[in-house]
């Protein structure tokens, strides 16, 4: 539901002008490296108010409070409460005379589970505290975000503890993904579904580099689009941003032509940049022809039916297979896994189905003997920790569904609602609140109608109730219900007739649990396969099947070929082009590499992120293999493969860290074994890591640490904001051959250079590798660093060269 207050603001102004960079303005005013900008709200409130006022005088309608890092984790050393900081910052902003005050909320500074250690519930509570403290602001803004799950926690906190408009901007890299791998369609689908009022991009890149990113975002949302670029890319030597105000305004005009209606500036932008944007807008709005061409109304835009994880979007524009195996119904081993809390078994089922070709996974953990609410949460988090495949949350219990929806990273499907009023009144509001798609079952208080007409009527009822709540037609999928042919043979064609009518007359996507058709019949696979073919021809979009049955997948692929969906038979040939005739009738896909009871390899466990299994396999291997053989010939090659996939864009940060965590579990087993046998522990060399003096950002450095440790290196982590002398002293004492230095802020690059100079003087044997968003290879060479690493994987490669192993 769109916030009426924000609608009125946009109707009044047509375009909103945001302020420019606060941090770089404070640095220009004398803020020292390592200084805490939020404390200036108390020590120099006049400076803060004057910066706000300078942007207002330049034409900004909205100013952001000086509260970007004002959360309880970052402010622990300030001895100021979050409430006091935020309330004081809002009061300072109001003194500027700004028309609208936006409570500015930045990233918490820690990665959330499963990628990191911060729990979703704790992140939610951190944001709640900020939002409640900011009650006097007019808007809530989340900016410079990179983790979609963190944004979800913040938006839910804002929705549940405030009625203010919510604006969200994320920071994308030139590959159209954030630092954690979040893609643009996933951001748009998730945040629009959660009901924010405007979305967009800020920071990380200059206006030229953001143009294609904004263009893609505008294709994926009906919300007002925000663009708040840097003033170009900073010169790492001078820390200066090179875009002058007029150049900046020219680029902003291009954003308007794409559809953006909210403009401002981030790092390096000054009041003069905002003044130039305001002047450009005045000129544009004074020309009636320009006004006609401006794309300010996105309401009529057609966004495709799609679901997503943070890293992968699946468009429902062709038959997409939903894997059915994560479900205890009729599966004794799966029930045992749920009772024993064997998450690795569940993860193996997920991996096997994905490798067999599933586009989505159904997650059903309903069992009377367990806490289904807790298990749904754990299953969602664990599966999303190892794969980017979108999920369908399957339960009849609204509390279970909400538990899964709350922590789901992306936009899932809810399976299911039905035509009973009790179901419609409890499930549909959850679907709307969390921005999910929903499966509607054509049954009601009277059961499943025998006729196609009866099922169609229920489908229409579900559709109308969902539309009335504001759920998009594209997000409503109908399951006309597969009856067992052995018991209700006459019902088979009624199902298919109903399905066809729902698809053609209501224009909705369709779902079927296909395998139920053959229950109680001999040669079930034959019956199921033929029914699936009939259903696809009738208009089935989302078959729920076992993808590990080869004939099911071959049926779907063949249909796509014959229906001209698989153009030029690309997918069909890729799967069957080299298959020998004698294998064409093999109905079971070999999943031995993913079944813990049939020979999983250590490499596959690591690549799949299965920590418990990696530890168990290593323990078993130690009975017949030397520890260093396991390390050098199994663990390290598996990590190298994960790193290569990361560099190639096949996996993203969450999956890379999951693989590293699985490898760490294996290393721990080896270390314990060596200690018990009084053998020297695994240590491939000592490396010192630090975020340099004045810089408090350490997420990147922490990721480097995880990878290095999982390659067997001993890492001495000095933390963040580390003095030059401390780095040199620890390196001298440990005689470490390699030091890794990280910096995210241009203002702390002199600290990095000073640290390197001191290391050259006191530890001439040691090599230095540097990294961080503001660094380049050229600048690394200029300040005397031996190596520049663009990411954590490249740091590992450098370490291997230094230690020659």
């Amino acid at each position: 539901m769109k916030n009426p207050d924000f609608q009125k603001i946009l109707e009044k102004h047509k375009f909103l002008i945001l302020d420019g960079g606060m941090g770089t303005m404070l640095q220009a005013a004398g803020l020292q490296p390592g200084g805490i900008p939020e404390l200036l709200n108390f020590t120099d409130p006049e400076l803060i108010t004057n910066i706000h006022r300078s942007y207002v005088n330049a034409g900004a309608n909205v100013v952001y409070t000086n509260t970007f890092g004002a959360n309880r984790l970052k402010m622990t050393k300030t001895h100021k409460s979050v409430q006091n900081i935020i309330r004081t910052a809002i009061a300072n902003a109001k003194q500027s005379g700004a028309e609208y005050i936006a409570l500015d909320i930045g990233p918490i500074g820690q990665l959330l589970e499963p990628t990191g250690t911060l729990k979703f519930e704790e992140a939610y509570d951190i944001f709640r505290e900020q939002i409640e403290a900011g009650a006097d602001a007019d808007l809530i803004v989340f900016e410079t975000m990179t983790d979609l799950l963190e944004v979800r926690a913040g938006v839910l906190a804002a929705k549940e503890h405030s009625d203010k408009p919510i604006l969200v901007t994320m920071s994308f890299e030139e590959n159209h993904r954030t630092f954690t791998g979040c893609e643009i369609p996933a951001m748009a689908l998730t945040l629009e579904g959660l009901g924010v009022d405007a979305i967009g991009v800020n920071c990380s890149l200059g206006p030229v580099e953001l143009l294609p990113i904004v263009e893609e975002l505008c294709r994926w949302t009906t919300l007002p689009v925000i663009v708040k670029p840097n003033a170009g890319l900073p010169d790492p030597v001078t820390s200066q941003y090179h875009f002058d105000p007029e150049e900046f305004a020219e680029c902003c005009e291009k954003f308007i032509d794409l559809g953006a209606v909210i403009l401002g500036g981030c790092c390096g932008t000054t009041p003069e940049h905002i003044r130039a944007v305001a002047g450009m807008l005045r000129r544009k709005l004074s020309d009636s022809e320009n006004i006609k061409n401006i794309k300010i109304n996105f309401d009529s835009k057609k966004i495709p039916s799609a679901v997503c994880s943070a890293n992968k979007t699946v468009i429902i524009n062709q038959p997409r297979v939903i894997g059915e195996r994560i479900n205890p119904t009729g599966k004794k081993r799966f029930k045992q896994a749920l009772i024993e809390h064997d998450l690795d078994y569940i993860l193996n089922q997920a991996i096997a189905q994905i490798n067999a070709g599933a586009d989505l996974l159904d997650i059903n953990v309903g069992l009377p003997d367990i806490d289904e609410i807790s298990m749904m949460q754990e299953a969602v988090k664990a599966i999303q920790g190892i794969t980017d495949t979108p999920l369908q949350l399957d339960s009849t219990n609204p509390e279970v569904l909400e538990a899964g929806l709350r922590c789901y990273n992306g936009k899932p499907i809810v399976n299911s609602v039905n035509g009973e009023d009790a179901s419609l009144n409890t499930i549909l509001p959850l679907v709307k609140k969390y921005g999910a798609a929903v499966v509607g079952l054509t049954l009601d208080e009277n059961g499943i109608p025998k006729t196609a007409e009866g099922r169609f009527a229920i489908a229409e009822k579900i559709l109308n109730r969902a539309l009335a709540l504001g759920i998009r037609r594209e997000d409503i999928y109908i399951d006309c219900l597969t009856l067992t042919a052995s018991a209700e043979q006459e019902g088979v064609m009624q199902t298919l007739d109903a399905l066809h009518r729902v698809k053609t007359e209501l224009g909705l996507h369709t779902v079927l649990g296909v395998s139920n058709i053959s229950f109680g019949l001999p040669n079930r696979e034959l019956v199921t396969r033929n029914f699936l073919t009939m259903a696809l021809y009738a208009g089935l979009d989302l078959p729920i099947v076992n993808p590990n049955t080869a004939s099911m997948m071959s049926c779907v692929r063949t249909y796509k070929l014959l229906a001209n969906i698989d153009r030029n038979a690309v997918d069909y040939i890729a799967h069957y082009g080299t298959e020998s005739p004698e294998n064409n009738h093999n109905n079971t896909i070999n999943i031995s590499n993913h079944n813990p009871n049939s020979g999983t390899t250590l490499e596959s466990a690591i690549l799949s992120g299965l920590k418990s299994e990696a530890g168990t396999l290593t323990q078993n291997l130690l009975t017949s293999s030397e520890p260093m053989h396991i390390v050098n010939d199994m663990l390290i090659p598996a990590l190298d493969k994960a790193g290569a996939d990361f560099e190639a864009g096949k996996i993203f940060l969450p999956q890379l860290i999951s693989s590293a965590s699985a490898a760490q579990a294996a290393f721990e087993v080896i270390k314990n074994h060596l200690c018990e046998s009084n053998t020297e522990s695994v240590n491939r060399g000592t490396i010192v890591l630090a975020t340099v003096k004045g810089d408090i950002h350490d997420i990147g450095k922490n990721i480097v640490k995880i990878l290095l440790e999982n390659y067997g290196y001993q890492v001495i982590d000095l933390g963040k904001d580390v003095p030059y002398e401390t780095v040199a002293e620890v390196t001298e004492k440990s005689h470490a051959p390699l030091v890794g230095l990280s910096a995210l802020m241009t203002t702390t690059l002199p600290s990095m250079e000073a640290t390197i100079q001191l290391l050259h003087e006191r530890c001439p044997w040691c090599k230095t590798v540097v990294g961080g968003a503001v660094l380049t290879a050229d600048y690394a060479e200029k300040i005397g660093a031996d190596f520049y690493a663009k990411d954590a994987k490249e740091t590992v490669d450098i370490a291997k060269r230094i230690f020659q192993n």
Side-chain angles (χ1 to χ4, degrees):
M1 189 71 68
K2 294 181 179 178
N3 190 304
D5 293 338
F6 193 67
Q7 290 293 102
K8 290 177 182 177
I9 291 173
L10 282 181
E11 288 170 7
K12 174 182 176 181
H13 295 281
K14 304 302 181 188
F15 291 90
L16 279 181
I17 302 177
L18 309 176
D19 60 10
M22 172 61 80
T24 45
M25 289 288 285
L26 291 176
Q27 290 160 8
L31 179 66
Q32 296 300 307
I36 299 175
E38 291 78 10
L39 290 184
L40 291 170
N41 289 307
F42 303 95
T43 60
D44 199 346
E46 188 175 351
L47 170 63
I48 301 301
T49 297
N50 284 340
I51 291 174
H52 289 318
R53 186 178 293 120
S54 67
Y55 283 123
V56 173
N57 292 339
N61 309 110
V62 182
V63 298
Y64 285 19
T65 56
N66 181 33
T67 55
F68 179 79
N71 67 65
R72 63 176 179 243
L73 294 186
K74 287 184 176 179
M75 297 292 110
T76 51
K77 296 181 180 179
T78 66
H79 306 296
K80 298 283 187 182
S81 71
V82 169
Q83 291 83 358
N84 196 9
I85 293 171
I86 289 177
R87 289 167 186 165
T88 303
I90 292 173
N92 291 337
K94 286 188 173 183
Q95 292 295 317
S96 70
E99 194 170 0
Y100 307 106
I101 306 298
L103 171 63
D104 187 23
I105 301 176
I108 292 171
Q110 294 186 17
L111 290 172
L112 271 68
E113 292 179 328
T115 307
T117 58
L118 183 66
K119 294 185 180 300
F120 180 88
E121 296 75 17
E122 184 179 356
Y124 172 91
D125 199 55
I126 289 169
F127 287 126
R128 175 202 56 77
E129 183 177 34
Q130 293 174 279
I131 287 155
E132 290 181 340
D136 291 337
D138 302 302
L139 312 168
I140 297 170
V141 171
F142 297 94
E143 67 162 336
T144 325
M145 307 300 285
T146 61
D147 184 347
L148 188 61
L149 188 60
E150 182 179 6
V151 178
R152 187 181 192 87
V155 170
L156 286 173
K159 284 282 185 181
E160 293 171 355
H161 296 276
S162 171
D163 59 359
K164 300 185 188 305
I166 302 168
L167 284 61
V168 179
T169 55
M170 299 187 74
S171 294
F172 289 88
E173 300 174 5
E174 289 189 83
N175 64 357
H176 290 214
R177 291 182 181 270
T178 69
F179 172 66
T180 62
C182 175
E183 64 174 10
I184 293 167
M187 170 206 178
L189 290 167
T190 302
L191 297 183
E192 184 159 350
L194 287 172
V196 307
D197 297 285
I199 60 174
V201 296
N202 82 290
C203 205
S204 73
L205 298 172
V208 173
E209 293 80 11
L210 279 180
L211 278 168
I213 291 171
V214 174
E215 183 177 20
E216 183 178 2
L217 176 59
C218 287
R219 291 197 301 267
W220 276 97
T221 186
T222 67
L223 294 175
V225 170
I226 309 164
V227 188
K228 213 171 188 277
N230 293 338
L233 299 175
D235 184 329
V237 178
T238 65
S239 299
Q240 298 299 308
Y241 291 82
H242 64 83
F243 254 65
D244 66 36
E246 293 307 318
E247 289 177 304
F248 187 81
E250 287 175 11
C251 280
C252 285
E253 185 170 8
K254 295 177 182 176
F255 294 132
I256 291 174
D257 293 339
L258 292 173
V261 295
I262 306 174
L263 299 172
C266 204
C267 300
T269 55
T270 66
E272 291 308 310
H273 289 84
I274 300 307
R275 181 171 285 107
V277 172
M280 175 271 295
L281 272 173
R282 282 194 301 272
R283 292 190 298 272
K284 203 167 184 70
L285 290 173
S286 67
D287 186 328
S288 59
E289 282 302 312
N290 274 333
I291 294 174
K292 290 179 184 178
N293 293 327
I294 293 172
K295 307 171 185 175
I296 60 174
N297 188 351
F298 280 12
D299 287 342
S300 60
K301 183 179 294 186
K302 183 84 168 176
I303 306 300
S305 175
V307 292
C308 66
S309 65
N311 305 137
K312 183 178 182 180
T313 299
V314 175
I315 303 175
I316 315 302
N317 59 354
Q318 58 180 280
R320 302 290 190 183
V321 171
I322 301 177
E324 68 179 6
R325 299 297 297 167
I326 303 178
N327 188 321
T329 304
K331 302 181 185 74
K332 183 177 179 181
R333 177 65 185 91
F334 194 94
K335 291 178 181 178
Q336 179 186 352
L338 289 175
I339 293 169
E340 296 174 356
H341 205 263
D342 184 357
L343 280 174
D344 265 9
Y345 181 85
I346 297 173
L347 296 181
N348 268 293
Q349 293 296 317
I351 294 163
Q353 292 182 96
I354 292 165
N355 286 347
D359 299 294
L360 303 99
L361 298 176
D362 185 81
I363 311 298
N364 185 319
V365 293
L367 201 64
D369 303 320
I370 67 168
D371 179 350
E372 189 181 352
I373 292 175
S374 175
M375 181 56 74
M376 177 62 85
Q377 288 178 319
E378 289 189 61
V380 167
K381 290 179 181 180
I383 292 169
Q384 290 208 297
I386 64 164
T387 178
D388 58 9
T389 299
L391 307 181
Q392 175 173 271
L393 310 184
D394 187 352
S395 177
T396 58
N397 185 333
E399 292 181 346
V400 173
L401 288 173
E402 183 160 26
L405 285 167
R406 199 162 182 83
C407 64
Y408 182 84
N409 194 6
K411 175 182 177 178
I413 302 174
V414 166
N415 187 13
S416 54
V417 70
N418 62 54
E420 295 183 43
D421 286 335
S423 177
L424 293 166
N425 292 336
T426 54
I427 303 299
L428 288 183
L430 288 178
V431 172
K432 175 59 180 174
K433 175 180 178 178
Y434 292 102
V438 63
V439 173
L441 306 182
T442 55
L443 61 84
D444 58 15
E445 296 87 347
N446 300 313
I448 303 172
K450 298 290 186 182
T451 65
E453 288 79 6
R455 295 185 216 182
F456 181 86
I458 295 175
E460 197 166 29
K461 177 183 178 181
I462 294 169
L463 169 64
N464 291 333
R465 291 285 290 274
L467 291 175
L469 276 177
I471 298 171
R472 294 192 320 147
R473 179 181 292 268
E474 292 82 4
D475 293 332
I476 304 164
Y477 312 149
I478 296 296
D479 186 340
C480 291
L481 298 171
T482 306
L483 301 178
T484 303
S486 60
E488 299 187 62
Q489 192 172 353
E490 70 283 356
V492 174
M493 294 309 299
Q494 295 297 324
T495 296
L496 296 179
D497 288 347
L499 184 153
H500 183 68
R501 288 191 61 191
V502 165
K503 183 69 177 286
T504 57
E505 297 178 34
L506 298 181
L508 299 180
H509 290 301
T510 58
V511 184
L512 274 183
V514 176
S515 59
N516 193 48
I517 192 70
S518 59
F519 186 79
L521 291 171
N523 199 349
R524 289 192 61 187
E525 182 275 327
L526 178 64
V527 176
T528 304
R529 182 183 67 204
N530 280 280
F531 177 69
L532 175 57
T533 302
M534 296 167 70
L536 289 168
Y537 185 69
L540 176 59
D541 298 291
L542 293 167
I544 304 175
V545 299
N546 178 5
N548 300 326
T549 303
S551 62
M552 296 299 104
M553 296 307 299
S554 64
C555 176
V556 174
R557 293 186 182 114
T558 304
Y559 174 79
K560 290 183 182 182
L561 166 70
L562 299 177
N564 200 29
I565 296 169
D566 178 14
R567 301 299 295 272
N568 300 314
V570 172
D571 185 59
Y572 182 87
I573 292 170
H575 282 89
Y576 307 113
T578 59
E579 191 173 271
S580 58
E582 60 269 21
N583 291 331
N584 284 341
H585 301 290
N586 180 12
N587 291 330
T588 303
I589 295 173
N590 182 2
I591 59 170
S592 63
N593 283 336
H594 305 284
N595 187 330
N597 298 317
S598 58
T600 303
T601 65
L602 181 57
E603 178 185 31
S604 68
I606 290 171
L607 293 176
S608 300
L610 303 176
K611 290 190 288 187
S612 298
E613 194 161 322
T616 301
L617 287 165
T618 303
Q619 192 72 58
N620 294 338
L621 284 166
L622 284 169
T623 62
S624 58
S625 300
E626 291 296 319
M628 293 315 298
H629 167 68
I630 298 171
V631 170
N632 293 325
D633 298 338
M634 299 180 191
L635 286 177
I636 299 303
L639 281 170
D640 286 344
K641 175 66 166 59
D645 287 347
F646 174 74
E647 289 180 339
K650 295 179 181 178
I651 63 171
F652 301 98
L653 186 62
Q655 291 79 41
L656 180 66
I657 291 180
S658 292
S659 291
S661 298
Q664 181 65 31
F667 268 112
E668 287 301 317
V669 170
I670 291 172
K671 287 178 183 178
N672 292 337
H673 173 82
L674 292 173
C675 289
E676 291 170 3
S677 59
N678 295 319
T679 307
E680 186 178 348
S681 184
V682 178
N683 182 0
R684 301 169 71 84
T686 300
I687 301 171
V688 174
L689 293 182
T691 300
V692 298
K693 177 66 179 172
D695 205 314
I696 59 171
H697 302 87
D698 63 353
I699 289 179
K701 183 262 298 172
N702 292 342
I703 293 168
V704 171
K705 176 187 176 183
I706 290 170
L707 277 189
L708 287 172
E709 286 182 335
N710 288 312
Y711 269 85
Y713 297 104
Q714 179 184 352
V715 176
I716 302 175
D717 182 6
L718 300 180
K720 55 192 176 184
D721 190 18
V722 183
Y724 328 140
E725 296 80 5
T726 302
V727 178
E729 287 172 5
V730 171
T731 304
E732 194 172 29
K733 184 177 180 179
S734 65
H735 209 77
L738 182 63
V739 174
L741 301 175
S742 171
L744 188 67
M745 303 163 60
T746 55
T747 53
T748 60
L749 290 176
S751 294
M752 180 176 280
E753 183 174 11
T755 304
I756 292 171
Q757 289 175 351
L758 189 59
L759 286 169
H760 285 169
E761 294 170 12
R762 294 178 53 177
C763 310
W765 67 84
C766 134
K767 301 291 184 182
T768 54
V769 54
V770 298
V774 295
L775 281 160
T776 64
D778 289 342
Y779 186 67
E781 183 178 0
K782 177 183 178 298
I783 62 176
D786 296 289
F787 302 97
Y788 162 74
K790 68 179 185 296
D791 55 35
K793 174 58 173 60
E794 192 165 341
T795 305
V796 170
D797 294 338
I798 290 165
K800 289 161 74 174
R801 277 153 47 198
I802 294 295
F803 292 94
Q804 296 182 347
N805 54 27

